[in-house]
Amino acid sequence: MNITIIGTGNMGSAFVKQLTKAGHTIRITGRDLAKAQGLAAWHPSATAVPATEALGNNEVVILATAYSDAVAALRSLGDLTGKIVIDITNPLNADYSELVVGHDTSAAEEIAKAVPGVELVKAFNTLFAQVLADGPVFANGQTAPVFFAGDSERAKQTAKALIESLGFRPVDAGALKNARYLEPLAGLNIYFGYGAGQGTGIAPTWIAKAN
């Protein structure tokens, strides 16, 4: 796939590493173009460009910014009508102790409303950057799941294919409104990682009893 990544932080960097490794072609942009250029220099199939040039003919955009920056970052790309946007944001406050959006809406739904015309999928928000960067398989042999939710079947199938291309296990979490559950789940994962001292090499999953 030809993919645009907005954001050069830990998650953006991990996406560049794994997506280029999987054979995707990447355009990277962010507030600090020099940082994007430094990141792209390590990956031959990645190019750093200003926001106004980041979209091109790419059909998929990965939104790897803070929630507070998300809408402005998307709008900076230009006309996104019909584009598939994978939203990884979590609407947490500065110290990650509570949600600033939730219960009767979600970050994903608010972003979709603010940037009409996009086909938005919530995905990857329950992964720490370390898990994304290190790859999908844990030491115990389990493959980390990536939950994805959206209202566009075309966008969900694209997200699923992208998740599979990275070796992670896609889990269909239903409609976009179910981001209201995925975002608090990410908050709980952050608590376990930092507040409970389990570290950032963890990821939430569900297990099933054998029939």
Side-chain angles (χ1 to χ4, degrees):
M1 295 182 197
N2 295 321
I3 301 169
T4 297
I5 299 175
I6 315 174
T8 57
N10 291 339
M11 284 296 287
S13 299
F15 270 115
V16 173
K17 175 184 175 181
Q18 294 298 344
L19 289 169
T20 54
K21 182 179 176 182
H24 300 287
T25 301
I26 308 300
R27 291 187 183 194
I28 317 163
T29 193
R31 286 180 295 188
D32 186 342
L33 185 57
K35 188 174 180 180
Q37 290 168 335
L39 182 57
W42 290 94
H43 304 281
S45 58
T47 306
V49 290
T52 53
E53 300 172 20
L55 192 58
N57 294 321
N58 293 358
E59 287 298 313
V60 178
V61 176
I62 295 178
L63 180 58
T65 69
Y67 170 60
S68 58
D69 299 325
V71 172
L74 281 176
R75 288 174 175 168
S76 73
L77 300 184
D79 184 9
L80 290 166
T81 303
K83 301 296 185 181
I84 295 168
V85 173
I86 296 176
D87 164 37
I88 76 164
T89 68
N90 287 307
L92 295 164
N93 64 2
D95 65 2
Y96 302 103
S97 63
E98 61 183 26
L99 296 171
V100 297
V101 172
H103 304 299
D104 57 358
T105 188
S106 64
E109 291 169 280
E110 294 304 304
I111 293 167
K113 279 189 231 174
V115 190
V118 302
E119 297 181 34
L120 192 137
V121 179
K122 191 79 188 185
F124 291 99
N125 71 300
T126 59
L127 291 187
F128 280 116
Q130 180 185 333
V131 174
L132 181 58
D134 288 350
V137 181
F138 286 90
N140 62 6
Q142 284 189 303
T143 300
V146 173
F147 305 98
F148 64 101
D151 294 333
S152 162
E153 190 58 32
R154 179 181 81 100
K156 287 178 71 173
Q157 289 304 312
T158 299
K160 180 182 178 183
L162 190 151
I163 292 163
E164 290 174 332
S165 76
L166 301 185
F168 289 87
R169 178 166 58 88
V171 179
D172 190 335
L176 189 63
K177 69 179 182 180
N178 287 344
R180 300 175 193 181
Y181 306 127
L182 294 179
E183 291 166 6
L185 178 60
L188 181 62
N189 193 47
I190 289 168
Y191 167 74
F192 284 138
Y194 291 104
Q198 294 186 27
T200 56
I202 60 173
T205 189
W206 266 253
I207 59 174
K209 284 187 176 181
N211 293 326

